Amino acid sequence: MDKQIVTIERHIVEQERSYPGATGVFSNLLYDVALAAKIIARETTRAGLVNVLGRAGSVNIQGEEQMKLDVFANETIIRMNSFTGRLAVMASEENDDIIPITDYEPGKYVLVFDPLDGSSNIDVNVSIGTIFGIYRRLSDAGPGTLADCLQKGRDLVAAGYVIYGSSTMMVYTTGQGVHGFTLDPSLGEFLLSHPDIRVPSKPLYYSVNQGNEPYWSEGVRRFTHWLLGPRDGDGKPLSGRYIGSLVADFHRNLLRGGIFYYPADSKRPSGKLRLLYEAIPLAFIAEQAGGYASDGRRNILDIQPETLHQRTPLFIGNRDLVEKAEEFIAQYDK
Ligand code: P6P
């Protein structure tokens, strides 16, 4: 495929062929997400020109003032998926409760998503992103339930993100590797640009907000000190790169190798990032690309979500670096 022009739609069909019993519903769901991403991308590139900057005058469940663009992104994804018959229920970072499909025949899939992560960066033109995960519903019929949304990452059937940066890229996995597509705005098509992404074995970067160091545990402080040293003779020192936009930091480390971590600290005992629609989908992608994601003690994909918006500490990237963080935490943070 690497010499051909492959659109994301064609790639999804190719992936579907690996599932003999596939009915096309799952593929169409992925198309819908890609289309929503194109619509959001168009607004993000116009953000400076159209009145989508600034405050929407509302506050989400996180207590964060909603930027107009994240309200737009949220509504775009919800409208795109509410009348297709593919979903039973959705859960969004921007909505307090689940969004069950009630005005249309409910389908067999579940979509959890953060419509626009890092939206506080919109007004300073820093890359932002959409993160999503797709599950099969657990309930038998009718509108989906909270339990349909609260599933372990091990049970994901797909996960992906869109990064709205110098170019717009969509990266997704259905459990058959990780594949990246770059949007050609002149065509309105996501074209395969990064087939079979694998985390490079030699990491280049570490990404953490060191402004929080006074609040870190002993284990996290010692891990960071180790990270900035010779690392058991593993190679040259890592460079610090921290954008403050999860998707952007994750994407760079996925392509170049490295670790991103937002640990628990004395201010945030459960960490800052969200388990269901941030950590879990990215953990699935990281593992599919040969990496690993942990909350500092266990695999993110093995954590049973208890509530929609629960937070988790997150260490994600090269497996050896994440496992070293777990070792320091196990040794020093009883
Ligand atoms: P801090 C953005 O607000 C976000 O949710 C993630 O995208 C990002 O990784 C993190 O918070 C940055 O948090 O505390 O370092 O500004």
Side-chain angles (χ1 to χ4, degrees), residues 172-235:
Y172 87 99
T173 180
T174 60
Q176 303 171 80
V178 178
H179 311 283
F181 300 79
T182 300
L183 182 64
D184 180 331
S186 65
L187 300 176
E189 291 284 4
F190 278 111
L191 302 181
L192 182 64
S193 54
H194 296 70
D196 295 315
I197 298 173
R198 301 291 293 173
V199 179
S201 56
K202 286 291 176 200
L204 291 183
Y205 303 119
Y206 77 101
S207 310
V208 67
N209 182 343
Q210 285 187 271
N212 292 329
E213 188 149 357
Y215 315 107
W216 289 347
S217 66
E218 179 67 17
V220 173
R221 268 200 296 276
R222 284 177 178 265
F223 167 64
T224 304
H225 181 73
W226 171 86
L227 205 55
L228 300 182
R231 294 193 334 273
D232 309 336
D234 256 10

Side-chain angles (χ1 to χ4, degrees), residues 14-269:
E14 299 284 337
Q15 296 260 305
E16 180 188 324
R17 289 197 178 135
S18 309
Y19 300 95
T23 62
V25 170
F26 178 55
S27 296
N28 288 329
L29 173 51
L30 280 170
Y31 299 159
D32 296 340
V33 174
L35 178 54
K38 293 177 195 175
I39 295 169
I40 296 166
R42 185 188 57 194
E43 291 308 301
T44 55
T45 50
R46 298 187 331 172
L49 306 174
V50 179
N51 182 29
V52 291
L53 278 182
R55 312 262 177 285
S58 52
V59 173
N60 64 13
I61 186 174
Q62 331 296 342
E64 295 161 348
E65 194 154 31
Q66 291 180 303
M67 306 295 287
K68 286 179 183 173
L69 211 48
D70 52 16
V71 174
F72 174 83
N74 194 45
E75 287 170 7
T76 298
I77 294 171
I78 291 171
R79 283 170 44 213
M80 183 68 69
N81 289 286
S82 292
F83 305 97
T84 62
R86 306 196 239 279
L87 293 181
V89 60
M90 289 178 261
S92 167
E93 193 247 11
E94 296 294 336
N95 292 65
D96 303 1
D97 301 314
I98 62 170
I99 308 160
I101 301 299
T102 54
D103 299 335
Y104 201 85
E105 182 59 33
K108 61 182 182 181
Y109 291 102
V110 177
L111 179 67
V112 299
F113 61 97
D114 183 350
L116 209 60
D117 177 75
S119 52
S120 54
N121 293 298
I122 293 171
D123 277 351
V124 291
N125 205 20
V126 165
S127 298
I128 47 186
T130 298
I131 309 170
F132 67 91
I134 298 172
Y135 295 96
R136 286 188 193 80
R137 70 180 300 170
L138 300 173
S139 52
D140 293 332
T145 65
L146 178 60
D148 285 323
C149 298
L150 298 179
Q151 296 188 52
K152 289 184 180 180
R154 284 274 170 243
D155 297 322
L156 278 168
V157 291
Y161 61 86
V162 184
I163 177 167
Y164 310 99
S166 48
S167 64
T168 295
M169 274 193 71
M170 181 160 163
V171 176
Y172 87 99
T173 180
T174 60
Q176 303 171 80
V178 178
H179 311 283
F181 300 79
T182 300
L183 182 64
D184 180 331
S186 65
L187 300 176
E189 291 284 4
F190 278 111
L191 302 181
L192 182 64
S193 54
H194 296 70
D196 295 315
I197 298 173
R198 301 291 293 173
V199 179
S201 56
K202 286 291 176 200
L204 291 183
Y205 303 119
Y206 77 101
S207 310
V208 67
N209 182 343
Q210 285 187 271
N212 292 329
E213 188 149 357
Y215 315 107
W216 289 347
S217 66
E218 179 67 17
V220 173
R221 268 200 296 276
R222 284 177 178 265
F223 167 64
T224 304
H225 181 73
W226 171 86
L227 205 55
L228 300 182
R231 294 193 334 273
D232 309 336
D234 256 10
K236 67 188 182 65
L238 300 178
S239 294
R241 290 284 190 282
Y242 191 74
I243 300 172
S245 185
L246 173 59
V247 173
D249 279 315
F250 175 77
H251 181 70
R252 181 204 52 246
N253 292 355
L254 180 71
L255 296 185
R256 295 288 180 266
I259 182 170
F260 169 97
Y261 51 115
Y262 206 111
D265 62 33
S266 55
K267 287 189 303 179
R268 293 188 166 107

